[in-house]
Amino acid sequence: MSAVMDDIRYQDRQAKLGNALQEAGLQAMVLNASPSLTYLTGLHFHLSERPVVGIFTPENSPLIILPELEVGKLADLPFPVQSFTYGERPTTWGGVFNDALQTANIQGKRAGIEQRHMRMFELSFLESGDLAINFVPGEACMDEIRIRKDSAEIAAMQEAVNIAQDALRAIRPLIYPGITEKQLAAELTIQLLRHGSDSQLPFTPLVASGPNSANPHAFPGDRYLERGDLLIIDWGANVGGYFSDLTRTFAVGEPDAEMKTIAEIVESANMAAREIAAPGVAAQDVDLAARRVIESAGYGQYFIHRTGHGLGLDVHEGPYIRSGNQELLKPGMAFTIEPGIYLPGRGGVRIEDNVVVTDQGLQSLSNFSRELQILDI
């Protein structure tokens, strides 16, 4: 992407944020190292013991507070930015923060922060001066501009899905009795990187076998796969900061009859949710479509989480596909559809796709087989 295109892209996002701030009655958005800071600037920082903070106002160019060792990242930015740097003596950091906030001219004003990301660490520096800034929740402003993905974002997510699917295909020969969950997760991680994922994965692959698969977020352990196990693999890739997040369920040899039954039910629930999702449909109705299938089959009490969540620079973001969320789907919204049934002490099934709302309906970015894949062991 050319510098001119980047200039338009990021300045357009910053302008949209300015409009959202004005509509919300806020005079600034203050972000620490987070996906939203990346979204507005293209800059990537890690949360660490050295704080990084961006200050955005409707009237002025962004201000960035950062350590001197990171200042090189600002050299090629295609838009104006004011930088405030500090060295290795923490006793001087408060003064740098105070200078930046005064330059932003938000003394005595309301500034939004993202509660999900802002740490007490950064907030303590922001509040250390006598500027009487009122820091309030500002997630809604960021959600408003991030929730609908543009074509470049969707293309990155599609590539992340493709990489993830190819990586899973590469490890299928390794799914056999005697390999541990940890070993399988390690091999999948290697294949994700070999197939082109950025090194910062959205999360460590979740590999859960047998009774462990009844825990939706089970971490890979030392359990050996056994014949008859259900095996849930939840994994994803990263392309340019944009994530995929997929789940498929395997059977290690022939499973018992009920396990095959719940797999068919979950597949039908996944299909029902994908078929109803479209522009103008409420997020809660997509959840309800999947839930009705599972409840009508008598397994409603074992579907213990929402049907999906938004996806992008965060692995979990809006829109949330859950009961009670009346938000209407719009073109460009990307999210997961991932119904599941979990039978305690026995096993579980989850089928997760990544989808995006289009002008006409819904596009699934993932196409890996959704059927219970019974491996011939």
Side-chain angles (χ1 to χ4, degrees):
M1 184 174 292
S2 71
V4 172
M5 291 178 68
D6 280 342
D7 183 40
I8 295 172
R9 185 185 204 189
Y10 292 116
Q11 289 200 358
D12 180 59
R13 291 175 177 178
Q14 293 164 19
K16 288 180 179 178
L17 174 60
N19 292 334
L21 290 172
Q22 290 176 330
E23 291 176 3
L26 300 178
Q27 286 71 53
M29 178 65 69
V30 181
L31 304 170
N32 63 336
S34 66
S36 287
L37 184 61
T38 299
Y39 180 81
L40 292 169
T41 65
L43 295 168
H44 293 265
F45 297 100
H46 292 289
L47 285 173
S48 74
E49 75 281 8
R50 299 182 179 97
V52 174
V53 170
I55 305 171
F56 300 84
T57 62
E59 301 85 7
N60 302 310
S61 57
L63 288 79
I64 305 288
I65 305 167
L66 73 170
E68 291 173 350
L69 63 89
E70 298 271 29
V71 74
K73 293 182 177 180
L74 308 183
D76 297 321
L77 286 180
F79 53 85
V81 62
Q82 299 181 71
S83 62
F84 293 79
T85 61
Y86 58 82
E88 295 290 357
R89 294 175 56 198
T91 55
T92 67
W93 296 357
V96 175
F97 271 76
N98 195 66
D99 290 345
L101 292 167
Q102 285 187 331
T103 301
N105 193 30
I106 56 174
Q107 302 93 311
K109 298 178 180 178
R110 300 176 74 238
I113 60 172
E114 289 184 309
Q115 296 177 101
R116 295 189 297 265
H117 294 288
M118 181 64 70
R119 302 179 298 181
M120 284 295 296
F121 181 53
E122 288 89 357
L123 194 58
S124 66
F125 286 108
L126 291 166
E127 295 180 330
S128 62
D130 188 22
L131 301 179
I133 301 170
N134 183 17
F135 292 101
V136 300
E139 283 89 353
C141 292
M142 288 307 311
D143 291 347
E144 179 182 335
I145 64 172
R146 283 182 53 186
I147 200 167
R148 298 178 68 174
K149 274 58 179 180
D150 62 29
S151 59
E153 293 176 289
I154 293 169
M157 294 171 69
Q158 179 67 77
E159 186 175 353
V161 166
N162 294 344
I163 288 170
Q165 294 184 150
D166 289 343
L168 186 63
R169 292 187 183 101
I171 69 158
R172 279 189 59 173
L174 301 178
I175 302 176
Y176 55 81
I179 192 171
T180 70
E181 296 169 344
K182 275 186 182 178
Q183 289 169 337
L184 201 54
E187 294 295 337
L188 181 52
T189 299
I190 291 169
Q191 291 300 328
L192 285 165
L193 299 178
R194 283 182 174 168
H195 282 82
S197 174
D198 292 354
S199 59
Q200 186 175 351
L201 298 178
F203 51 88
T204 301
L206 303 180
V207 178
S209 61
N212 292 341
S213 63
N215 179 351
H217 282 171
F219 285 98
D222 293 321
R223 184 183 186 278
Y224 291 95
L225 272 61
E226 299 177 3
R227 293 181 186 275
D229 279 350
L230 288 186
L231 172 67
I232 288 180
I233 299 179
D234 187 344
W235 82 112
N238 174 357
V239 172
Y242 286 87
F243 297 137
S244 57
D245 178 8
L246 303 168
T247 306
R248 290 295 186 265
T249 303
F250 297 85
V252 184
E254 190 70 22
D256 71 37
E258 187 174 20
M259 295 302 167
K260 294 172 74 172
T261 296
I262 66 171
E264 292 171 357
I265 295 166
V266 172
E267 184 181 354
S268 295
N270 175 288
M271 179 181 296
R274 285 186 288 111
E275 287 180 342
I276 195 175
V281 174
Q284 65 181 2
D285 291 338
V286 179
D287 177 88
L288 181 60
R291 204 163 297 279
R292 278 177 174 160
V293 171
I294 293 174
E295 288 177 348
S296 65
Y299 288 91
Q301 65 179 324
Y302 302 111
F303 182 12
I304 54 179
H305 54 71
R306 64 196 173 202
T307 294
H309 56 81
L311 191 62
L313 288 168
D314 274 305
V315 73
H316 286 186
E317 58 181 54
Y320 294 97
I321 311 303
R322 59 168 176 78
S323 174
N325 185 2
Q326 300 180 32
E327 183 173 19
L328 300 182
L329 300 180
K330 298 180 178 65
M333 288 184 174
F335 52 91
T336 67
I337 289 179
E338 49 179 306
I341 295 175
Y342 309 91
L343 305 182
R346 298 182 61 195
V349 173
R350 182 166 66 256
I351 302 171
E352 179 180 17
D353 285 296
N354 298 170
V355 302
V356 60
V357 181
T358 67
D359 291 332
Q360 293 76 34
L362 192 77
Q363 174 189 356
S364 180
L365 304 179
S366 45
N367 59 12
F368 199 100
S369 175
R370 300 176 180 92
E371 294 180 355
L372 178 65
Q373 299 179 55
I374 302 174
L375 302 179
D376 186 14
I377 302 302

